[in-house]
Amino acid sequence: MRLADPQKSRAVLIGTSAYRHMPAIPAVAKNLDTLQRLLIDSEIWGLPSENCRVVMNPATVADVIDPIHEAMEAASEALIVYYAGHGIRDPEVFDDLYLGLPDSDSEHLYRSVPFNQIRRALSPNRGPAAKVVILDCCYSGIAIGAMGPATDMADQAMIKGTYLMTATSQHLEALAPVGADYTVFTGELIRALEEGIPGKPDLLDLDTLYFHLRGELRAQNHPIPQQRNRDEGSRVTIARNRLHTAPGRMSPPAADPLASPPPSTDPLVKWSALRRLPPREIMAQAQRLDAVEAADLFRAAGMICADQIVASLLALLNSVANYNFATQVHAGVMVRPPREILAVVAALNATGQEQQITLLLESSRSQSRDEVIALASALHAEGMQAYLTKVLDGALTLAAANATLVELTTAMRASTLADDIEGMFTRAADRVPPAELAQWADGLHDAGYEDLASRLYQRSAAVIALRSASKVAQVASIIHKDGQPNQAIHLIDLAYEASVGVVGMAELIAAMFQHGPDTHADHVVTRCARSMGVLDLIEIAAELREHNHDASARALLLCGARLGQFGGTAVLAERMRDGGRPIDARNVIEVGVKYRPAEEIIVALVELSGLRALDEVEVIQEVVVASDVAVLGAVLEAGGRAGALHILRPMAAAVVRQRSEADLAVLMPSLLGIGHSELIKYMFDDPSIGRKLEGVLINSTVPFRRHILVTIANRSPGSLGSLLRVTRVTAPDVARMLVSASSDLPPEDCVAVIHALQGESDRPELHKVLVEVGRRPIATLVHIIQVLVAKEDTEAANLIVSAYAQSSMRLAVELLESRLRRVGAIDQADLLVSDRVAVFHHGPAHPLSSAVRLIIRDSPLRSSRCHRPPIPESKANHAYRVLPGLDEILLFVDLSLFGGGRGFLLFTGYEVCHRNGTDDKVVTRVPYADFPDLKFTASGEFAIVLGGGKPRSIASGDVKVADVIGLLRTLQRAMKAWIDSNSIEPVGADEI
């Protein structure tokens, strides 16, 4: 080995320290100055100063490439090209490397130097035989400020016939620490040149320099340099070992730079022959060595032997259970580039050595962070997920032990492993104690990785809950922002259960209000209000106010009012008022009134009234009167059920005076629902509210008006008079309200109103009311009269009957009479028909009478024995003599031609009559009112049975029984329809 001739060699030192769009690297300037000084130092290399060119902060690509071209032309033995500055990767073509210039950045790559141009400038077909490229550059463009790992950078930059050495880093601080004279990598290179390397020969070739730098940087946990060489590039010697240089000592005579060197102590040099040996010969050679040298041999075999040789060698070592030497092979393999490590893994997998793969990957824990990331990235790229998991889990364990979790996470985020981070931490959470997880989470949070911190905080919630209230609130907020609100509440619940005493609870509430979202504060306050008594809440609120947390204290008390018993709410309000907070006290009462059951409010008012706490009672009453209509109505009804008249009287008066007509229209049933005549009378005795009550009645719906009036009539008949006095609503108006809408008002309510009006109206007015009542359907009217009779109010019953008799058609009167007799109202039935002849002659035509006329007129009964008006006089006189009070005859069927008698069947406007034979006493009269329940049955060809009696002869040859029965059934249908609805649909002759 000899030193390259400095006269025939050149060096181009390029550096960019100042950038317009990227962080500056001030140390680069001193890198270049010191390297130039050392290279031209005769004790190190002795390069003539004109042969060592410095290019500082080049502005263009030409400023870089031109000096390299010139040096290539001038050098015949060795050329060194050195660059220090930012290295940039193309974000679209990831494997393209660019060297930064002052105006460079990742968005303007055309302002940088493509390394491919330097590769072409250092053509293997011309220039010196030995070309050395040293790149001390970093990657920029990672958003968080880390510089990407250059694991494969040496492969990217490899040039045939050269020795390439690269230095990379994740962090700007790691590359050039603040205040340092040099960048980390170049600083170590300068130290080796300036101070020498102990234990190494007089002349330092590039491999010796590289492995020395690698060991030193690795020991300091700095980025590990990479190297590649072609065509014996590693044998190039460019420096003397300063430790062996004495004043006046000259270099050895010049010799062939590629001549065979003396035996080397470097393992790669010492054991280079292993590349050509099969595994068994390697094993045999190791047996001839002592343990230290054998370990060195196996380590070198792992570093330099082909992947299949390494796999076979590990299989042999495993077969003889020599695990210590296998470990040395693993260590050697892990020095290799990631692609070569994966090749060894593939060979082990192909030969079924899964255990050796596991042991090999576990040895990655001894590597630097950059090396681990490089290996993991390669595994990720090849889809070796199971092996990737082993490497990452080991890296995480080591990072946790070395307190470098953040650095590991940052490195993974800046690489292709970003998606594997969460899985790595999730697996760790299953085996790491919660206390340690919490510490990990703190570090990640401090570094800005809140999403990862959230995952770990969730797994260590039991530990976090024991921290200060402020820390709990902050962590809960982090978890909530991570989209896990339920987990955040779980943490808060754990902290709540761990809080001790009034002070602890107050601190937790204050922290939630200060640091967390509203939902967290609401949750804690709600738990407090549900689980603690009134006095506890008062103490906690006092503690909060003492530390200027007034808002949280107020929220706690309001929540207590919403969730606690109203009696406790009253106590809260009293304490707050005594403490000089009347507004807050009223707010508490308002919340309690709004949310607590009405029964609780009444109970509290009664108790406070009994305790003579009249001020509190008055405030609560004011709040209730001003509250929502539904709440107010519920309290009024609850007070009525409890009989708390002394509480309700002033409230009812205030309601009528203060609330609008619209509110009163809604509240009136609640006011009346109290059910005490004193209160209702009190409410209506004030003439000043007459106009408002009148508006309520007139403007409300008919069913609602009816409900109000019926309620008054039923529960306090005397108050109806008060209502009539203070409003302009008259008794007939009241009656019309009751009957004008529909027939669904119960008869008992009608009776109640009649009774109420009897005491408030003169006779003519009451008569008008009863006439209105009499317009109800017959079924309802019968029920009303029946109720009046049962209540022994015959006067009202008789008045209704008389009014009905004077205003109705005779047929309708007959129908009502029949129904009254059925229900036992005999006196009213007799009264109804006592003057029916006069009524018939002078009353208005009833629509049913007209319908009957049409039905009979259109009947198909046609014969010489069937007579329609005008009826023969002799037959009519006979009928009127036999049947006193007979109405106009509409159809007369003469039966006297049969059996020698004077029988007949006749139809009038309201009944059917039959005389059988010559006996005038054997007469049957059936009112149409009884038709709905009457049965008509044929008895042979000449007679029918009416209502189950004896057969009546009604027909001869041309008067058919079927036609008579058809007429009777048509009349029956008409009666049913009229009785049911007070109306009748026209029936044509074709239906008879």
Side-chain angles (χ1 to χ4, degrees):
M1 178 187 299
R2 76 168 184 83
L3 195 67
D5 187 347
Q7 299 297 328
K8 299 178 180 180
S9 301
R10 297 290 188 274
V12 180
L13 308 181
I14 308 164
T16 305
S17 62
Y19 296 87
R20 296 181 180 86
H21 309 294
M22 294 188 292
I25 311 177
V28 167
K30 195 163 186 180
N31 283 1
L32 268 60
D33 289 343
T34 304
L35 280 177
Q36 182 188 34
R37 176 176 58 81
L38 294 175
L39 292 177
I40 65 177
D41 187 338
S42 59
E43 293 186 1
I44 297 175
W45 189 9
L47 199 65
S49 58
E50 62 272 15
N51 289 6
C52 185
R53 185 169 180 179
V54 175
V55 182
M56 187 65 189
N57 290 324
T60 66
V61 174
D63 292 342
V64 174
I65 301 301
D66 287 349
I68 295 176
H69 272 289
E70 294 171 5
M72 279 283 289
E73 295 296 330
S76 60
E77 195 156 304
L79 169 63
I80 295 176
V81 176
Y82 167 90
Y83 171 81
H86 281 298
I88 309 171
R89 271 183 170 172
D90 187 337
E92 295 183 3
V93 185
F94 194 65
D95 288 338
D96 284 356
L97 176 64
Y98 291 80
L99 306 182
L101 300 179
D103 204 31
S104 297
D105 61 29
S106 58
E107 298 296 325
H108 303 88
L109 291 177
Y110 59 86
R111 299 173 183 171
S112 307
V113 181
F115 189 79
N116 283 333
Q117 290 199 27
I118 296 179
R119 186 198 308 272
R120 287 192 292 271
L122 299 175
S123 170
N125 300 322
R126 60 189 183 89
K131 305 178 184 71
V132 179
V133 177
I134 301 174
L135 299 179
D136 186 357
C137 61
C138 56
Y139 297 109
S140 63
I142 307 299
I144 58 175
M147 298 182 181
T151 306
D152 302 319
M153 181 176 172
D155 291 331
Q156 298 167 29
M158 190 60 215
I159 303 168
K160 186 177 180 181
T162 67
Y163 188 99
L164 176 64
M165 191 184 306
T166 67
T168 61
S169 173
Q170 284 180 303
H171 299 290
L172 181 61
E173 291 78 11
L175 178 66
V178 176
D181 290 337
Y182 309 109
T183 60
V184 170
F185 170 76
T186 300
E188 204 59 46
L189 173 62
I190 288 172
R191 188 174 298 108
L193 294 175
E194 197 165 35
E195 300 176 2
I197 303 175
K200 299 302 177 184
D202 292 346
L203 299 179
L204 301 176
D205 61 17
L206 291 174
D207 255 358
T208 302
L209 279 173
Y210 168 74
F211 281 104
H212 172 74
L213 297 180
R214 178 185 176 90
E216 292 296 317
L217 292 171
R218 185 172 189 171
Q220 299 171 43
N221 200 29
H222 284 313
I224 306 303
Q226 305 285 313
Q227 64 87 15
R228 295 291 185 276
N229 67 87
R230 298 276 179 90
D231 299 336
E232 304 295 330
S234 61
R235 310 294 295 278
V236 175
T237 303
I238 61 169
R240 299 181 180 88
N241 189 344
R242 198 71 177 266
L243 286 178
H244 302 291
T245 301
R249 182 172 178 176
M250 301 299 296
S251 300
D256 185 355
L258 300 180
S260 298
S264 174
T265 58
D266 188 281
L268 288 179
V269 178
K270 181 177 180 181
W271 305 109
S272 60
L274 293 176
R275 291 190 178 96
R276 299 183 292 273
L277 297 179
R280 292 191 180 279
E281 290 190 21
I282 295 174
M283 292 284 289
Q285 187 171 343
Q287 290 176 356
R288 295 191 290 270
L289 302 173
D290 60 32
V292 175
E293 286 193 332
D296 195 22
L297 178 146
F298 282 116
R299 182 179 177 86
M303 296 171 67
I304 63 177
C305 289
D307 50 271
Q308 294 186 45
I309 299 296
V310 172
S312 299
L313 184 59
L314 286 171
L316 289 174
L317 289 170
N318 187 59
S319 67
V320 296
N322 198 327
Y323 304 122
N324 290 333
F325 288 160
T327 300
Q328 294 300 320
V329 175
H330 297 155
V333 171
M334 295 311 295
V335 173
R336 304 169 74 154
R339 291 176 184 173
E340 294 183 12
I341 297 175
L342 263 60
V344 174
V345 170
L348 291 171
N349 183 59
T351 55
Q353 299 187 70
E354 283 296 323
Q355 184 180 8
Q356 289 298 324
I357 295 175
T358 299
L359 294 173
L360 173 64
L361 296 179
E362 285 180 353
S363 67
S364 66
R365 299 184 183 184
S366 63
Q367 290 187 297
S368 71
R369 186 170 54 254
D370 281 355
E371 290 173 319
V372 172
I373 295 300
L375 175 59
S377 297
L379 290 168
H380 178 88
E382 295 298 325
M384 298 179 174
Q385 192 62 38
Y387 302 145
L388 172 63
T389 297
K390 295 179 184 295
V391 171
L392 291 181
D393 290 352
L396 180 63
T397 301
L398 184 62
N402 296 334
T404 56
L405 275 180
V406 172
E407 290 79 359
L408 175 64
T409 304
T410 302
M412 291 180 68
R413 284 236 168 144
S415 69
T416 59
L417 302 172
D419 294 338
D420 297 293
I421 297 174
E422 185 169 347
M424 177 181 70
F425 279 108
T426 300
R427 291 189 299 273
D430 293 331
R431 64 179 186 272
V432 175
E436 188 173 349
L437 284 180
Q439 293 178 355
W440 291 9
D442 291 338
L444 291 169
H445 171 256
D446 293 342
Y449 298 126
E450 291 200 352
D451 53 341
L452 293 175
S454 170
R455 309 297 195 280
L456 298 184
Y457 280 138
Q458 292 174 48
R459 301 295 290 268
S460 58
V463 174
I464 301 298
L466 301 177
R467 294 183 174 181
S468 69
S470 177
K471 184 63 177 178
V472 170
Q474 292 173 14
V475 171
S477 180
I478 292 169
I479 296 173
H480 181 89
K481 290 177 183 177
D482 190 40
Q484 300 294 328
N486 293 337
Q487 293 297 321
I489 294 297
H490 173 65
L491 170 61
I492 294 171
D493 284 338
L494 292 176
Y496 180 90
E497 292 163 6
S499 298
V500 179
V502 170
V503 174
M505 196 59 63
E507 289 177 349
L508 184 62
I509 293 172
M512 292 301 161
F513 272 91
Q514 186 174 358
H515 299 291
D518 293 343
T519 52
H520 293 178
D522 292 343
H523 182 75
V524 175
V525 165
T526 299
R527 282 206 62 174
C528 268
R530 288 188 187 280
S531 60
M532 295 189 172
V534 174
L535 298 180
D536 290 334
L537 294 180
I538 292 173
E539 287 188 29
I540 295 173
E543 180 70 19
L544 287 167
R545 286 200 181 96
E546 186 176 343
H547 293 84
N548 298 320
H549 298 301
D550 287 355
S552 54
R554 182 174 180 274
L556 174 64
L557 296 179
L558 289 177
C559 188
R562 178 167 58 88
L563 300 176
Q565 293 286 325
F566 190 79
T569 300
V571 174
L572 279 177
E574 181 184 11
R575 296 292 182 89
M576 295 172 79
R577 190 175 292 104
D578 292 344
R581 296 177 177 273
I583 297 176
D584 288 348
R586 187 179 182 90
N587 290 340
V588 164
I589 293 295
E590 289 173 349
V591 170
V593 167
K594 181 177 180 180
Y595 290 102
R596 300 311 302 164
E599 289 76 11
E600 285 185 15
I601 298 172
I602 292 297
V603 169
L605 283 169
V606 171
E607 291 178 353
L608 290 170
S609 179
L611 296 172
R612 309 299 297 170
L614 301 183
D615 290 342
E616 295 299 323
V617 171
E618 183 177 347
V619 171
I620 296 172
Q621 288 175 325
E622 290 176 1
V623 170
V624 171
V625 169
S627 62
D628 180 80
V629 171
V631 173
L632 175 54
V635 173
L636 291 174
E637 292 178 5
R641 290 191 297 270
L645 288 180
H646 64 294
I647 299 295
L648 297 182
R649 281 196 183 102
M651 291 174 61
V655 166
V656 176
R657 290 190 180 92
Q658 297 174 19
R659 303 303 289 251
S660 66
E661 288 184 12
D663 289 348
L664 285 177
V666 178
L667 290 169
M668 193 63 70
S670 300
L671 290 166
L672 301 175
I674 295 169
H676 293 275
S677 59
E678 296 177 33
L679 177 58
I680 297 174
K681 193 172 189 317
Y682 174 83
M683 184 174 64
F684 289 123
D685 273 349
D686 187 349
S688 65
I689 64 174
R691 182 74 59 182
K692 185 179 291 187
L693 292 175
E694 177 186 351
V696 172
L697 291 174
I698 298 302
N699 296 324
S700 59
T701 62
V702 170
F704 186 76
R705 293 199 304 263
R706 189 173 63 230
H707 175 70
I708 293 175
L709 296 169
V710 168
T711 302
I712 297 173
N714 272 319
R715 299 181 179 177
S716 180
S719 297
L720 191 58
S722 299
L723 175 63
L724 298 177
R725 283 197 301 273
V726 300
T727 68
R728 294 179 297 183
V729 181
T730 64
D733 292 332
V734 173
R736 279 190 291 273
M737 289 179 191
L738 295 175
V739 301
S740 60
S742 64
S743 61
D744 61 349
L745 186 66
E748 289 80 2
D749 289 341
C750 289
V751 170
V753 174
I754 291 170
H755 286 164
L757 292 175
Q758 279 178 310
E760 303 298 335
S761 304
D762 54 21
R763 198 71 177 179
E765 286 289 304
L766 182 58
H767 185 268
K768 293 178 183 178
V769 171
L770 296 176
V771 168
E772 295 289 345
V773 174
R775 295 185 185 279
R776 308 299 295 276
I778 284 182
T780 304
L781 195 57
V782 170
H783 196 166
I784 292 172
I785 295 172
Q786 188 179 10
V787 173
L788 287 169
V789 171
K791 292 180 176 292
E792 298 183 353
D793 190 357
T794 56
E795 180 182 5
N798 291 341
L799 286 172
I800 294 174
V801 168
S802 297
Y804 190 82
Q806 294 175 24
S807 61
S808 302
M809 184 64 188
R810 181 169 184 169
L811 181 57
V813 172
E814 294 292 344
L815 290 171
L816 179 58
E817 177 203 3
S818 175
R819 292 299 180 91
L820 289 175
R821 293 188 188 282
R822 289 184 190 180
V823 299
I826 304 301
D827 294 341
Q828 283 69 38
D830 292 343
L831 177 64
L832 183 66
V833 297
S834 62
D835 57 351
R836 64 184 176 182
V837 176
V839 171
F840 171 74
H841 289 295
H842 300 289
H846 197 282
L848 182 58
S849 177
S850 300
V852 170
R853 288 174 184 273
L854 291 173
I855 293 170
I856 293 174
R857 184 196 68 186
D858 296 336
S859 169
L861 284 173
R862 296 286 189 274
S863 76
S864 58
R865 299 173 183 83
C866 297
H867 305 283
R868 289 173 169 78
I871 308 298
E873 184 176 354
S874 61
K875 297 184 183 299
N877 289 338
H878 176 64
Y880 286 130
R881 181 180 61 80
V882 175
L883 301 169
L886 188 65
D887 203 351
E888 178 185 4
I889 299 173
L890 303 178
L891 176 63
F892 187 97
V893 181
D894 187 359
L895 304 179
S896 62
L897 299 176
F898 309 101
R902 300 184 66 186
F904 57 78
L905 178 70
L906 61 84
F907 296 83
T908 71
Y910 61 92
E911 64 182 335
V912 60
C913 303
H914 180 269
R915 180 177 182 272
N916 192 6
T918 58
D919 187 353
D920 290 342
K921 294 182 180 179
V922 185
V923 176
T924 302
R925 302 179 74 167
V926 183
Y928 295 137
D930 292 336
F931 264 40
D933 301 324
L934 193 63
K935 296 182 180 179
F936 311 111
T937 308
S939 178
E941 296 182 12
F942 307 106
I944 63 172
V945 177
L946 299 177
K950 295 180 180 181
R952 268 72 169 178
S953 175
I954 62 168
S956 62
D958 59 351
V959 178
K960 298 179 181 179
V961 172
D963 291 338
V964 175
I965 290 179
L967 174 59
L968 294 173
R969 285 180 176 167
T970 300
L971 291 169
Q972 186 180 49
R973 290 201 305 274
M975 293 306 106
K976 283 185 177 180
W978 189 86
I979 290 170
D980 290 341
S981 64
N982 246 1
S983 64
I984 181 170
E985 296 180 1
V987 181
D990 57 335
E991 296 183 71
I992 299 176

